[in-house]
Amino acid sequence: MKSPSKTEQLLVLREQIVPRGPYNIVPYFIESARGALVYDVDGRELIDFSGGIGVLNVGHCHPKVVAAIKDQADKLHHTCFHVLMYEPYLTLAQKLCGLTPGDFPKAALFANSGAEAVENAVKIARYYTKRPAVIVFENSFHGRTLLTMTMTSKTHPYKLGFGPFAPEIYRMPYAYCYRCPFGLTYPACDTACADYLEEFFINHVAAENTAALVVEPVIGEGGFITPPPEYFPKLLSTCREHGVLFVADEIQSGMGRTGKMFAMEHWQVVPDMVTVAKSLAAGMPLSAVVGKKEIMDAPHAGGLGGTYGGNPISCRAALAVLDVMAEEHLLSRAKSLGLKLKERFDSWKRKYEVIGDVRGKGPMLALELVRDRESKEPAADEAKALVKFCYERGLVLISCGNFGNVIRTLMPVVITEEQLEKGQ
Ligand SMILES: Cc1ncc(COP(=O)(O)O)c(C=O)c1O
């Protein structure tokens, strides 16, 4: 009898000692990776169009990031920023304050995960405004902690059975033009979905009770939904009128993913606070809240922080990421990658009935699959089958969308032409 492969052995162990809660998309175990390629324990080579869910814009194990991590690991792993400070925290904070939209004094706070950054942004907004409520959107994803799970829209699998949820979270429809929640069509609708915020303040939560509106510029997990140009400027102006803070969750869309450093730049909107994580430190756990200094400074000393937030190794990795982005012109590479993908996806849409919509910004691009273009019945099983078909042939692709019928691209921006061609 044939002896089991390393993958088969590890799968048995995985079943035994890891709960089923943390879902696995591809049943392979990866040993090493470089750029846009990953190699598994049985010697399989795969092209990675997922980038660990948008974490690897500079690619797996970029030599400059590896060198920075090794150098810092030799010097200092941890002191806890609250106990003893270190320079990489400040250097990175300074750089992020310069890179996020807005020409005003800013400050940056570091944490470990995207969810923690969102939690901190909400804490800061509540403290600054002295108001409790937070407005979020349908299709949004903000994390898996109690507050961020509450802020997240999709019930299965993120919320089912995990209630009761955190109070004072209010949800508005989003500008999902392909499936307009108001049954309208752009541009004839005149972005009524953005005007609706005024009505929302009357029917759902008073503006005077609302600390912040937290929104993803391009909705990530919820299906790469990309609002029209008027949407965010309108929302921002209503927020300003009522003293509600505008927080952009750029955890998936930031760090060059859309061809600009931060996706809100496409709408020329300057948020009060931005949350950043994922591609910030190329796989090292690090997230940030960057915002107006006056707002960031509101909470009292000791009110924010944590043991590991802004760990020196993660900060050095992030500084290396920023160097790589500049040296290798990754924003312009992302733009041209986005154009290439869009052209290919549009041609597929003309050819394949199952593709109902092609959308996104830059290489943060997606295909929404439908059973029928008229009824727009979501083709979730087909999306699942496509993901499986691809990984069995050496391409890692992931889906998203509240119906699970959207295929998204989050490949490293450093992907070579040859790898891209092969993957497509
Ligand atoms: C927009 C957005 N916000 C927050 C999060 C949560 O980040 P993390 O998984 O690091 O907690 C994610 C993760 O996918 C995200 O896409």
Side-chain angles (χ1 to χ4, degrees):
M1 208 173 78
K2 201 170 137 261
S3 56
S5 68
K6 187 83 192 278
T7 304
E8 286 161 342
Q9 290 172 40
L10 291 175
L11 278 172
V12 170
L13 188 61
R14 191 254 174 267
E15 291 290 309
Q16 279 169 5
I17 44 100
V18 180
R20 60 189 180 141
Y23 176 66
N24 307 111
I25 299 165
V26 182
Y28 301 159
F29 294 86
I30 300 305
E31 202 164 61
S32 63
R34 182 54 71 101
L37 296 176
V38 295
Y39 303 91
D40 92 336
V41 290
D42 284 318
R44 263 182 289 241
E45 179 188 276
L46 298 114
I47 299 173
D48 185 7
F49 271 21
S50 77
I53 319 193
V55 169
L56 292 152
N57 291 352
V58 300
H60 289 273
C61 298
H62 191 290
K64 292 220 159 154
V65 178
V66 173
I69 292 171
K70 283 184 175 165
D71 181 60
Q72 187 59 43
D74 268 342
K75 289 182 181 151
L76 173 75
H77 291 193
H78 178 79
T79 56
C80 181
F81 189 70
H82 308 304
V83 180
L84 289 163
M85 296 178 282
Y86 37 87
E87 195 172 349
Y89 192 113
L90 305 189
T91 319
L92 183 62
Q94 205 171 24
K95 292 214 171 186
L96 284 180
C97 287
L99 288 169
T100 44
D103 188 16
F104 41 70
K106 291 180 209 146
L109 162 81
F110 294 110
N112 304 292
S113 65
E116 256 191 282
V118 175
E119 292 254 358
N120 276 293
V122 170
K123 280 171 74 175
I124 296 166
R126 283 178 169 164
Y127 202 106
Y128 177 76
T129 59
K130 306 282 177 255
R131 301 171 177 183
V134 175
I135 297 178
V136 291
F137 290 83
E138 285 175 8
N139 287 86
S140 64
F141 183 91
H142 297 291
R144 291 172 180 271
T145 58
L146 180 58
L147 175 65
T148 57
M149 170 183 65
T150 307
M151 292 167 72
T152 290
S153 160
K154 192 175 177 180
T155 54
H156 293 64
Y158 304 128
K159 302 171 87 157
L160 173 74
F162 295 131
F165 300 105
E168 292 298 334
I169 303 298
Y170 300 86
R171 192 174 310 284
M172 272 210 2
Y174 192 72
Y176 190 174
C177 296
Y178 183 65
R179 297 177 188 276
C180 177
F182 296 87
L184 302 172
T185 307
Y186 180 80
C189 64
D190 199 21
T191 47
C193 53
D195 299 332
Y196 180 66
L197 181 54
E198 284 289 3
E199 218 175 299
F200 199 81
F201 286 142
I202 295 166
N203 288 318
H204 295 273
V205 58
E208 298 89 322
N209 281 342
T210 307
L213 174 143
V214 181
V215 67
E216 296 166 79
V218 176
I219 291 236
E221 301 304 300
F224 280 25
I225 307 166
T226 313
E230 303 86 346
Y231 187 64
F232 291 120
K234 272 192 179 183
L235 287 183
L236 179 71
S237 126
T238 310
C239 283
R240 291 270 184 271
E241 238 171 80
H242 295 279
V244 172
L245 299 185
F246 188 97
V247 180
D249 181 347
E250 293 255 16
I251 285 163
Q252 194 158 151
S253 60
M255 299 306 296
R257 188 66 237 165
T258 65
K260 299 217 184 255
M261 188 57 92
F262 292 99
M264 272 301 175
E265 294 169 43
H266 291 285
W267 286 267
Q268 278 127 36
V269 154
V270 178
D272 296 303
M273 280 186 276
V274 179
T275 54
V276 194
K278 291 201 183 266
S279 276
L280 172 61
M284 295 299 290
L286 186 69
S287 65
V289 186
V290 191
K292 279 188 185 147
K293 175 123 173 73
E294 181 199 341
I295 298 170
M296 297 292 292
D297 266 341
H300 54 268
L304 303 173
T307 304
Y308 298 109
N311 171 275
I313 301 178
S314 297
C315 286
R316 285 288 307 279
L319 286 166
V321 163
L322 292 175
D323 287 345
V324 170
M325 288 187 72
E327 286 160 16
E328 299 186 13
H329 312 289
L330 291 195
L331 290 184
S332 65
R333 269 173 89 168
K335 254 178 244 162
S336 57
L337 174 61
L339 288 173
K340 255 182 232 152
L341 286 169
K342 178 85 168 64
E343 200 179 313
R344 182 67 61 97
F345 284 9
D346 283 339
S347 78
W348 286 350
K349 188 179 168 198
R350 288 190 291 274
K351 207 156 136 199
Y352 304 113
E353 279 292 304
V354 73
I355 299 174
D357 194 25
V358 174
R359 59 172 178 260
K361 285 271 183 210
M364 188 172 179
L365 209 62
L367 303 167
E368 175 155 357
L369 306 187
V370 289
R371 296 239 162 90
D372 168 53
R373 283 193 180 174
E374 203 55 42
S375 71
K376 298 185 182 175
E377 185 191 342
D381 291 344
E382 290 80 347
K384 214 169 168 185
L386 182 63
V387 167
K388 185 163 187 282
F389 178 89
C390 287
Y391 74 68
E392 285 174 350
R393 283 156 187 79
L395 175 68
V396 182
L397 257 190
I398 49 176
S399 61
C400 63
N402 280 18
F403 303 112
N405 65 327
V406 181
I407 299 288
R408 56 176 154 171
T409 61
L410 287 168
M411 68 279 284
V413 173
V414 296
I415 191 165
T416 65
E417 290 287 326
E418 194 194 342
Q419 291 159 355
L420 183 66
E421 233 1 84
K422 211 168 152 194
Q424 288 184 107

